[in-house]
Amino acid sequence: MALLLRFVLLCGVADFARSLSITTPEQMIEKAKGETAYLPCKFTLSPEDQGPLDIEWLLSPADNQKVDQVIILYSGDKIYDDYYQDLKGRVHFTSTDLKSGDASINVTNLQLSDIGTYQCKVKKAPGVGNKKIQLTVLVKPSGTRCYIDGSEEIGSDFKLKCEPKEGSLPLRYEWQKLSNSQKLPTSWLPEMTSPVISVKNATTEYSGTYSCTVKNRVGSDQCLLRLDVVPPSNRAGTIAGAVIGTLLALVLIGLIIFCCHKKRREEKYEKEVHHDIREDVPPPKSRTSTARSYLGSNHSSLGSMSPSNMEGYSKTQYNQVPSEDFERDPQSATLPTAKFKYTYETAGITSGINMDY
């Protein structure tokens, strides 16, 4: 009886050994963002596995808020890789002959959303097998910037800072001095693996070039910093110069605004005066020009008369001069008598005639 039971057990073990099995062990894989992740899945078949071969990869997202998603499928000698939109075009089988026992895949251009548990399922009736692989996507340190926070003067306190733009935690920092004595101050040693070094009572011995290297499990990045500890500057003179420069700039701006405003006012005034003058109306005649015109018009008449009747004629004619051409000052009650001397030539004789008006 015992021998029979042993024989049955050995046959069962032999049958199990000959059934479909996935030889790749379960594992965890860490990759950097943007890289390609190789997810292995190799299997063996037994002679009893006569059914059609089906291979299926599923993703269980890390946030556990989504159900398992089929990301790629092989069935009926065809490949279907458009099930999961987030991985469309980025997941492929590595082997061109899946029946050879290799169902491994590549996931290209890794993103943080690709983090999760990937499961490989292989079925060839009656055999069935599956394995899980944990994929973690990390971000390499990049865009690291080194700078000094504070004044680089003798006796002052400041900080040396090292800040990566991105990078998955945990991050490790390493400071080094690249120039001069390359010997770091003893007080700095506890902070040589931190992103910030606090400098107290600085001296010129601290001057030099420093490097900061940032690392995580998938990569590293580095930046350089130049430190020059100098004597204190004349801050009062610097501040005074800045104030004076600011005031001069304000005065200059004020003058420019004033000149522009004045020019605009002058242009506006000229335009107003130009519109007020009517070019089609001639200017009024002066009193002197009116009197001269009147006398000139009677020149010929006076020249043909004799001295005996000139006095009477002149009085009569001047009485006809329009009053508007000889307006009198309203403030004066009487005007002094003006004398007018007219000279003419007749037959070579020159006479002078005094006329009152």
Side-chain angles (χ1 to χ4, degrees):
M1 185 66 180
L3 291 174
L4 180 61
L5 180 60
R6 182 178 297 178
F7 176 77
V8 172
L9 290 174
L10 288 175
C11 291
V13 171
D15 290 340
F16 179 78
R18 291 195 301 267
S19 65
L20 186 153
S21 65
I22 297 178
T23 59
T24 302
E26 294 187 352
Q27 55 188 293
M28 296 181 63
I29 297 176
E30 286 185 348
K31 285 291 181 178
K33 178 183 176 181
E35 294 183 346
T36 296
Y38 169 70
L39 307 184
C41 181
K42 295 183 178 182
F43 61 91
T44 58
L45 300 173
S46 68
E48 288 79 10
D49 299 327
Q50 298 297 323
L53 177 63
D54 293 330
I55 301 174
E56 183 181 56
W57 277 90
L58 297 94
L59 169 61
S60 300
D63 56 10
N64 296 322
Q65 299 298 319
K66 298 179 181 179
V67 298
D68 292 353
Q69 300 285 335
V70 177
I71 60 174
I72 194 169
L73 174 67
Y74 174 82
S75 179
D77 295 332
K78 292 183 179 180
I79 297 175
Y80 304 91
D81 58 1
D82 57 353
Y83 281 94
Y84 189 47
Q85 191 65 30
D86 290 351
L87 283 172
K88 186 176 181 179
R90 296 195 294 119
V91 58
H92 312 280
F93 284 110
T94 59
S95 175
T96 57
D97 184 13
L98 299 178
K99 294 179 181 180
S100 64
D102 188 359
S104 305
I105 61 172
N106 280 333
V107 180
T108 62
N109 190 23
L110 287 172
Q111 304 297 317
L112 295 179
S113 58
D114 299 337
I115 297 174
T117 301
Y118 292 77
Q119 184 176 186
C120 174
K121 288 185 176 182
V122 181
K123 179 181 178 182
K124 188 173 177 63
V128 177
N130 68 83
K131 288 292 181 180
K132 293 182 179 180
I133 297 176
Q134 182 69 39
L135 175 63
T136 302
V137 179
L138 301 176
V139 179
K140 292 181 180 180
S142 63
T144 305
R145 183 171 72 100
C146 293
Y147 65 98
I148 301 171
D149 184 7
S151 176
E152 307 171 52
E153 295 181 351
I154 296 176
S156 62
D157 299 341
F158 53 84
K159 295 180 180 180
L160 309 182
K161 293 188 176 183
C162 179
E163 295 180 354
K165 186 176 181 180
E166 60 179 3
S168 297
L169 300 175
L171 294 173
R172 301 187 306 275
Y173 297 84
E174 182 180 344
W175 287 88
Q176 289 183 336
K177 189 175 183 181
L178 306 178
S179 61
N180 298 343
S181 64
Q182 296 187 354
K183 182 179 179 181
L184 295 170
T186 306
S187 60
W188 292 16
L189 296 179
E191 297 180 326
M192 296 308 295
T193 56
S194 68
V196 179
I197 295 179
S198 299
V199 179
K200 304 292 184 181
N201 192 22
T203 66
T204 55
E205 295 179 357
Y206 295 169
S207 298
T209 302
Y210 296 82
S211 70
C212 174
T213 303
V214 187
K215 300 179 181 180
N216 63 9
R217 294 196 297 268
V218 293
S220 63
D221 193 29
Q222 187 182 67
C223 63
L224 298 177
L225 179 149
R226 176 65 189 179
L227 174 62
D228 293 310
V229 181
V230 297
S233 60
N234 186 2
R235 297 183 179 179
T238 302
I239 295 173
V243 171
I244 293 174
T246 303
L247 292 177
L248 290 176
L250 292 175
V251 170
L252 180 60
I253 293 172
L255 288 175
I256 293 174
I257 294 174
F258 174 77
C259 292
C260 293
H261 182 66
K262 183 179 179 181
K263 184 176 180 180
R264 289 181 180 177
R265 290 185 61 185
E266 290 176 353
E267 292 177 353
K268 183 178 179 182
Y269 176 75
E270 289 178 358
K271 290 181 179 180
E272 291 177 352
V273 172
H274 176 73
H275 288 299
D276 289 343
I277 297 175
R278 296 180 57 187
E279 296 180 355
D280 58 336
V281 179
K285 297 181 178 180
S286 64
R287 298 173 184 174
T288 305
S289 61
T290 303
R292 289 179 178 176
S293 299
Y294 185 80
L295 292 175
S297 64
N298 292 283
H299 180 273
S300 60
S301 300
L302 293 173
S304 61
M305 296 179 69
S306 61
S308 60
N309 58 9
M310 176 58 74
E311 183 176 356
Y313 177 81
S314 62
K315 290 181 179 180
T316 304
Q317 293 296 325
Y318 276 92
N319 289 334
Q320 296 178 6
V321 177
S323 60
E324 61 181 1
D325 291 337
F326 293 88
E327 292 179 359
R328 297 184 176 180
D329 189 354
Q331 297 179 356
S332 302
T334 60
L335 293 174
T337 302
K339 292 184 180 181
F340 177 81
K341 184 177 181 181
Y342 181 81
T343 304
Y344 68 97
E345 295 181 1
T346 304
I349 301 174
T350 301
S351 300
I353 301 173
N354 291 329
M355 291 179 291
D356 296 333
Y357 65 95

